[in-house]
């Protein structure tokens, strides 16, 4: 038999690179191919992706290295370049060789998973002699002490960790990203890096320092909206078809992960602290507490689930450039909270197979979908627009979108409210009402831009409205005819069901023509706005 080349060690793979010379985004073709081989060899069908994004220099990569340590111990199996192995493979202690537990491990309540790979977290640490390796040559996501930013582009760990999501096995991938809101990033870089992370993650961890804050929510919204627009634009040539006609939210779980949360009382238990975390998020989500829930409402429309966790500060010592990685300095409280956090997010209840528009991503489709998304972002590459142009395009497009949805919802509700069709005069009355409502909605939202721009958008809205009303009218007439021709109750119900089905086809879902048409324009608008946010 031909000799196999030695397998590469497990390491982070850079799937999105930034070419600094041309300032463009480059796809890591070889890296994606390697990932694909790992997934196909994993023996499971579905994939879950945990991605971390957030401002630069906030300990994202460091946290991912802790996640790696956790997974090496706690996953059922690990799939990598060497095939599939049981977790904890090859570690001292696992084979019965007793190792001495340092006193501080017991004193500080350090979880087993955190110290099994060595009592210093050195893997991935960047120093003067390059990137350090841990015990047994273990590697990690690259992190760096100090002020200078470290991670560039998007990285995926080359191993997949097999865990339970509900009662099925999934291959968990970990994804690290470049720090956000860095003034050196160009428009294409930021749109691609954060949009892509949002699209690929089944759990998007938004790492924030100290507290959530409104501006952080607003910033996140720009990128998720951009990702949503790219998703719509990409629908036309997708390999994944929507699972059903039901409206599906584009993304799964968004989690705010607050680092250095200063408000836990000494020795507070995680259970008692959970209420505090939730009330922190509620300050922004609950209309009874928050004055402005607009942005978070938009996020709620895009994500199935919004979650929160707050970690205390690990220790001031680790912020120093000279910290040697020793885990001895980390406070007991940090261990308590990080241990429970990882149990939660990697436990079978929270872990979810990644779906795109309701269809699960499989080990066979994962990399094809990843590449498609990268292409979608390239196609939607932002055009040079001034800030006011961008605001004008995006606000009036959004106003038009919102008004049309209002009209559809109203007519749909009327159609569903009774099993009988409306009399023609009655339909016209309802339609007139709905049109007035939609117009008013548009006027209340299209506030930004020139008279000319707004009235152009208004004209376009009128055309859309006419077309929609015509469709509903025809549908109503069909139902009316059916009811007039003396059908039995059963067949009448069938016709009504067809009608409702037809109506639901017309709602503005991800794959509908209207959404596709405007999404490209929208994405130009969003991106230009996003750009200004970053630069200003
Ligand atoms: N204050 C604080 N510092 C941390 C925490 N976790 C890690 N650090 C330190 O933060 C510094 C930056 O860590 P990285 O993991 O490289 O940060 P990053 O967010 O990945 O940085 P970029 O990739 O440059 O965006 C290191 O010195 C870590 O030791 C934390 O929870 N709080
Ligand atoms: Mg980093």
């Amino acid at each position: 038999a031909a000799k196999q080349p030695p397998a590469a060690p497990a390491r982070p793979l850079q799937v999105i690179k930034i070419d600094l010379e041309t300032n463009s985004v480059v796809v890591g073709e070889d890296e994606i191919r390697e990932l694909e081989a790992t997934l196909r060899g994993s023996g499971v069908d579905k994939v879950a992706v945990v991605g971390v994004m957030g401002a630069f220099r906030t300990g994202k990569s460091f946290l991912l290295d802790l996640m790696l340590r956790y997974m090496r111990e706690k996953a059922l199996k690990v799939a990598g370049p060497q095939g599939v192995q049981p977790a904890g493979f090859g570690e001292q202690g696992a084979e019965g060789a007793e190792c001495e537990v340092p006193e501080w491990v017991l004193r500080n309540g350090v979880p087993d998973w955190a110290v099994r790979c060595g009592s210093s977290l050195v893997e991935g640490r960047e120093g003067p002699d390059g990137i350090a390796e841990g015990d047994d040559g273990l590697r990690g996501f690259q992190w760096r002490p100090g002020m200078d930013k470290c991670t560039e582009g998007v990285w995926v760990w080359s191993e997949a960790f097999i865990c339970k999501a509900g009662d099925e096995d999934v291959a968990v991938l970990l994804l690290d990203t470049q720090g956000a809101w860095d003034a050196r990033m160009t428009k294409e870089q930021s749109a691609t890096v954060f949009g892509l992370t949002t699209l690929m993650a089944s759990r998007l961890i938004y790492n924030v320092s100290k507290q959530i804050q409104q501006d952080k929510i607003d910033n996140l919204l720009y990128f998720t909206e951009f990702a949503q627009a790219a998703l719509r634009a990409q629908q036309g040539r997708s390999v994944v078809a929507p699972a059903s006609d039901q409206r599906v939210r584009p993304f799964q779980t968004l989690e705010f992960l607050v680092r250095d949360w200063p408000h836990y009382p000494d020795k507070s238990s995680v259970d008692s602290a959970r209420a505090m975390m939730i009330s922190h998020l509620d300050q922004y989500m609950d209309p009874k507490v928050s004055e402005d829930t607009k942005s978070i409402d938009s996020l709620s429309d895009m994500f199935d689930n919004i979650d929160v966790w707050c970690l205390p500060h690990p220790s001031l010592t680790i912020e120093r450039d000279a910290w040697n990685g020793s885990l001895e300095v980390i406070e007991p409280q940090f261990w308590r909270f990080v241990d429970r956090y990882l149990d939660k997010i990697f436990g079978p209840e929270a872990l979810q197979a990644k779906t795109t528009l309701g269809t699960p991503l499989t080990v066979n489709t994962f990399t094809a979908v990843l590449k498609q998304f990268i292409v979608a972002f390239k196609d939607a590459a932002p055009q040079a627009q001034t800030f006011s142009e961008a605001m004008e395009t995006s606000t009036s497009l959004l106003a038009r979108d919102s008004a049309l949805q209002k009209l559809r919802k109203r007519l749909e509700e009327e159609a569903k409210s009774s099993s009988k069709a409306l009399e023609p005069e009655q339909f016209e009355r309802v339609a007139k009402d709905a049109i007035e409502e939609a117009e008013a909605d548009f006027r209340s939202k299209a506030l930004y831009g020139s008279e000319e721009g707004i009235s152009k958008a208004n004209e376009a809205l009128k055309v859309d409205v006419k077309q929609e009303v015509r469709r509903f009218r025809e549908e109503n007439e069909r139902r009316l005819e059916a009811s007039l021709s003396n059908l039995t109750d059963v067949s009448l119900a069938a016709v009504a069901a067809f009608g409702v089905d037809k109506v639901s086809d017309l709602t503005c879902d991800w794959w509908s023509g209207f959404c596709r048409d405007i999404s490209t324009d929208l994405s130009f608008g969003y991106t230009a706005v996003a750009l200004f946010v970053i630069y200003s």
Side-chain angles (χ1 to χ4, degrees):
K3 223 175 160 193
Q4 293 277 323
R11 65 200 189 287
L13 300 172
Q14 192 175 17
V15 294
I16 301 285
K17 307 172 190 190
I18 310 292
D19 181 340
L20 287 175
E21 271 185 12
T22 58
N23 237 341
S24 60
V25 173
V26 184
V27 182
E29 295 277 354
D30 291 344
E31 286 79 1
I32 291 181
R33 217 168 295 126
E34 185 174 336
L35 201 60
E36 186 164 22
T38 292
L39 286 174
R40 285 181 196 265
S42 69
V44 302
D45 195 29
K46 294 184 187 159
V47 184
V49 184
V50 174
V52 185
M53 69 171 269
F56 63 106
R57 305 279 73 214
T58 50
K60 298 181 297 298
S61 305
F62 179 87
L63 176 76
L64 277 155
D65 282 334
L66 286 177
M67 287 182 183
L68 275 178
R69 283 191 168 210
Y70 180 91
M71 283 302 215
R72 284 178 183 133
E73 280 296 311
K74 298 262 185 155
L76 301 171
K77 283 175 275 176
V78 182
Q82 290 91 357
V84 183
Q85 293 172 342
F89 179 80
E91 287 188 15
Q92 18 136 274
E95 285 293 305
E98 285 293 313
C99 47
E100 204 165 306
V101 180
E103 176 272 332
W104 58 266
V105 169
L106 299 174
R107 176 168 34 94
N108 290 348
V110 185
D112 275 356
W113 57 260
V115 280
R116 275 287 184 85
C117 303
S119 54
S120 292
L121 196 139
V122 286
E123 61 269 21
R125 184 186 199 274
E126 198 202 272
D129 312 321
I131 302 163
E133 290 180 5
D135 289 7
D136 297 336
L138 286 177
R139 300 178 185 210
F141 285 101
Q142 191 175 336
W143 63 277
R144 173 192 294 170
M147 272 166 50
D148 295 335
K149 64 176 200 143
C150 180
T151 312
E152 236 159 45
V154 177
W155 298 74
V156 178
W157 189 250
S158 68
E159 290 171 314
F161 300 96
I162 318 294
C163 298
K164 287 272 181 224
D167 20 302
E168 61 180 354
D169 287 353
V170 292
V172 180
L173 294 178
L174 299 179
L175 190 147
D176 188 14
T177 60
Q178 174 165 354
W181 337 127
D182 168 356
R184 278 183 295 176
M185 275 175 90
T186 70
K187 52 195 183 314
E188 201 193 8
Q189 289 167 8
S190 50
T192 309
V193 167
F194 305 117
L196 205 71
T197 309
T198 307
L199 280 172
M200 294 314 295
S202 44
R203 175 174 287 266
L204 179 67
I205 297 175
Y206 186 44
N207 199 59
V208 300
S209 187
K210 299 206 169 64
Q211 62 205 9
I212 295 178
Q213 277 183 325
Q214 191 60 41
D215 60 333
K216 291 173 187 161
I217 298 175
D218 294 342
N219 287 338
L220 176 69
L221 184 62
Y222 283 112
F223 289 111
T224 47
E225 283 191 329
F226 180 77
Q228 177 177 317
L231 184 62
R232 286 171 175 171
Q234 183 260 8
Q235 273 308 290
R237 53 200 137 93
S238 174
V239 293
V240 284
S244 73
D245 274 359
Q246 251 118 62
R247 190 188 149 88
V248 184
R249 289 199 182 87
F251 312 122
Q252 290 162 289
T253 298
L254 167 67
E255 179 167 66
F256 290 93
L257 177 63
V258 182
R259 306 289 287 270
D260 302 345
W261 178 252
H263 306 296
Y264 292 137
D266 274 354
K267 301 216 163 80
S268 74
S269 76
V270 181
D271 290 323
S272 63
R274 189 67 188 136
M276 191 187 243
M277 299 181 200
I278 291 167
S279 86
H280 181 51
L281 179 62
D282 275 350
Q283 272 177 16
Y284 298 90
M285 288 195 70
D286 187 347
K288 284 197 256 17
V289 188
S290 169
E291 296 218 329
D292 175 14
T293 57
K294 251 216 257 70
S295 301
I296 201 114
D297 286 348
S298 305
L299 287 172
S300 307
D301 280 344
M302 282 189 253
F303 288 87
D304 284 336
N305 177 26
I306 298 186
D307 207 347
V308 63
W309 194 271
C310 304
L311 287 173
H313 201 301
S315 126
L316 286 174
T317 317
I318 77 158
E319 285 185 20
R320 295 205 196 118
D321 287 12
W323 179 51
N324 63 7
S326 166
L327 296 177
E328 185 175 354
V329 299
I330 293 184
E331 311 263 345
Q333 198 179 41
F334 180 82
W335 288 125
R336 264 205 321 278
F337 279 83
V338 82
D339 188 36
R340 279 287 289 279
Y341 174 59
L342 300 183
D343 278 349
K344 184 189 81 142
I345 65 167
F346 295 121
E349 273 117 73
L351 212 51
Q352 265 188 323
K354 167 71 192 164
T355 60
T356 298
L357 302 175
T359 308
L361 226 56
T362 68
V363 293
N364 296 316
T365 55
F366 180 79
T367 48
V369 172
L370 175 63
K371 278 198 208 148
Q372 266 188 358
F373 282 147
I374 297 173
V375 173
F377 274 99
K378 285 215 155 150
D379 288 358
Q383 299 214 314
Q385 264 183 322
T386 65
F387 180 63
S388 58
E389 278 167 349
M391 279 294 279
E392 180 176 315
T393 341
S394 52
T395 45
S396 43
L397 276 170
L398 285 173
R400 189 178 137 199
D401 194 15
S402 155
L404 202 58
Q405 296 222 39
K406 227 186 179 107
L407 176 96
R408 285 185 173 122
K409 201 163 156 240
R410 175 74 197 277
L411 292 178
E412 208 177 302
E413 274 166 8
E414 290 288 348
K416 280 184 184 165
S417 66
S418 92
S419 61
K420 290 203 205 81
L422 300 176
E423 291 300 325
E425 313 80 69
Q426 203 185 350
F427 178 87
E428 295 310 325
R429 263 201 310 279
V430 169
K432 187 166 170 270
D433 244 28
I435 295 169
E436 270 166 20
E437 250 178 50
E439 282 279 333
D441 187 69
F442 178 84
R443 277 194 303 275
S444 75
K445 286 181 180 149
L447 297 173
Y448 196 95
S450 63
E451 278 296 319
E452 198 197 336
I454 292 176
S455 84
K456 240 163 110 186
N458 198 355
E459 287 311 310
L461 172 68
K462 285 193 173 124
V463 174
D464 294 334
V465 161
K466 243 198 197 128
Q467 199 181 339
E468 281 308 297
V469 171
R470 184 162 5 103
R471 280 153 112 167
F472 276 91
R473 187 183 292 119
E474 282 167 11
E475 188 46 47
N476 189 58
E477 280 162 5
R478 245 197 305 279
R479 289 177 69 194
L480 205 59
E481 273 169 34
S483 66
L484 287 176
S485 54
N486 245 346
L487 294 168
T488 62
D489 279 357
V490 175
S491 51
L492 197 63
V495 173
F498 171 79
V500 170
D501 187 37
K502 206 72 203 141
V503 167
S504 73
D505 281 354
L506 298 178
T507 54
C508 190
D509 277 328
W510 307 104
W511 48 90
S512 92
F514 171 77
C515 288
R516 267 205 302 280
D517 292 347
I518 71 160
S519 64
T520 327
D521 308 344
L522 269 178
S523 58
F524 292 146
Y526 289 137
T527 316
V529 173
L531 259 182
F532 271 89
V533 171
I534 295 163
Y535 284 126
S536 57

